[in-house]
Amino acid sequence: MPDAAAPASPSARTRVNRYRWLAHYDRETIYAILDAMPVAHVGYVHDGNPIVTPTLQWREGDRVYWHGAAHGRMMKATHDAEVCLTVSILDGLVLARAAYNFNINHRSVMVFGRPEAVTDPAEKTRLLKRFVDGYVPGQWERLRPVTEQEVKATAILSLPLTEASAKLRAGPPEDGDEDYAFPVWAGVLPIHLAVGAPEPDPRNLPDVEMPASLAAFSIG
């Protein structure tokens, strides 16, 4: 596909070079992927070694947030340092007629920048409430109130989405013209994340009820 089909990227390091036509840099596409998948991986350098830490992320406006232990190595290593946060969703296995053309249907986002720490206790508490209620609306108010020590022990970092790119692939295999006559099955094996039925803690008190909003939770 010609380079002219690729949209302009916000920076050199966000530019998608491989399969440029799959690149998206618009906010709506990036927001949709971040909102659909809470699991993120944060890449950084710690004591000269590359580290990728899985964590949970959430978006508020044009900024992505994630949390961790206040005294964990990620907090130390990412202070005034560059990171790369990624989110990906696997949508299907693409079986082509040639091994070279095997692929996946997917949605992914990469965000670059220097993370900013949220230090104000009131703002941290507000963001943690946003984090919890993002999964189950109204759940924060049902929980045992958070303590000052718990807020202090939790670190929250964030990145603006000014340097972000998305990559999306959908559809059937793309084989060379000469391979379409080869007698082997080709196609897509769709993959979907499924949310199962809630499993109550056996130590639940007998008079507590499951939040009705839990049934609406979805992912992917």
Side-chain angles (χ1 to χ4, degrees):
M1 184 169 290
D3 292 349
S9 63
S11 67
R13 62 181 174 179
T14 59
R15 185 178 303 116
V16 174
N17 294 310
R18 180 77 169 158
Y19 300 112
R20 294 182 180 91
W21 54 93
L22 303 181
H24 296 259
Y25 303 103
D26 62 285
R27 287 293 191 270
E28 290 73 17
T29 300
I30 291 169
Y31 290 170
I33 297 171
L34 293 176
D35 294 347
M37 172 53 67
V39 178
H41 291 80
V42 182
Y44 53 93
V45 176
H46 178 257
D47 290 341
N49 297 307
I51 300 289
V52 177
T53 298
T55 186
L56 294 174
Q57 62 82 23
W58 68 99
R59 181 185 66 84
E60 187 171 276
D62 201 41
R63 185 171 285 269
V64 61
Y65 294 85
W66 69 97
H67 77 295
H71 298 293
R73 65 182 176 186
M74 181 168 61
M75 301 306 119
K76 174 185 175 182
T78 58
H79 177 69
D80 199 31
E82 297 288 333
V83 305
C84 176
L85 179 144
T86 63
V87 170
S88 59
I89 305 170
L90 177 62
D91 291 321
L93 179 62
V94 181
L95 293 94
R97 293 164 182 82
Y100 182 78
N101 293 321
F102 268 45
N103 213 325
I104 58 171
N105 284 339
H106 71 285
R107 292 163 282 161
S108 62
V109 164
M110 298 182 72
V111 187
F112 295 91
R114 290 177 181 256
E116 300 173 18
V118 178
T119 57
D120 178 67
E123 178 64 1
K124 286 173 69 175
T125 302
R126 186 192 72 79
L127 286 167
L128 289 172
K129 179 179 185 298
R130 163 68 179 80
F131 168 62
V132 171
D133 286 347
Y135 293 105
V136 184
Q139 184 71 355
W140 182 267
E141 298 301 331
R142 302 183 188 101
L143 301 177
R144 185 264 291 158
V146 67
T147 68
E148 181 180 340
Q149 181 57 36
E150 288 171 337
V151 174
K152 185 177 181 180
T154 303
I156 297 179
L157 298 175
S158 74
L159 280 175
L161 295 173
T162 50
E163 275 197 278
S165 62
K167 198 172 182 182
L168 289 80
R169 189 198 189 280
E174 296 177 351
D175 279 302
D177 290 341
E178 66 282 4
D179 289 331
Y180 283 95
F182 195 84
V184 64
W185 189 91
V188 175
L189 179 64
I191 297 174
H192 305 284
L193 287 170
V195 178
E199 301 175 357
D201 187 334
R203 296 185 63 176
N204 278 347
L205 296 177
D207 58 343
V208 298
E209 296 182 0
M210 185 189 79
S213 54
L214 185 61
F217 179 79
S218 65
I219 191 171

